[in-house]
Amino acid sequence: MKKILPIAAALVLLVLFPGLAAVLAEIVGAVAVWLSTQPILIGFVLGLIALPHLQRAAKTTTP
């Protein structure tokens, strides 16, 4: 039930404010285009995502 509530709330907002969806889509599209032209940011974020995978596993001793 908890997962349905945010979806239902979003649908109600879209029904009550139909222009909001178009404005939100424009903003998200503009941000996506801007981010795609920033290779430094893309590389930085990918590096942050990769950091946990590059850490060495802790050495364990077996008795």
Side-chain angles (χ1 to χ4, degrees):
M1 186 67 180
K2 288 182 181 180
K3 293 181 182 181
I4 295 175
L5 189 60
I7 296 170
L11 288 175
V12 167
L13 285 176
L14 288 177
V15 169
L16 292 177
F17 306 105
L20 184 64
V23 171
L24 188 61
E26 264 188 59
I27 292 171
V28 169
V31 168
V33 168
W34 180 80
L35 280 175
S36 69
T37 62
Q38 306 297 321
I40 299 287
L41 285 176
I42 293 171
F44 180 71
V45 170
L46 288 175
L48 287 178
I49 292 170
L51 275 177
H53 303 289
L54 296 176
Q55 293 176 352
R56 293 184 181 183
K59 293 183 179 180
T60 57
T61 58
T62 54

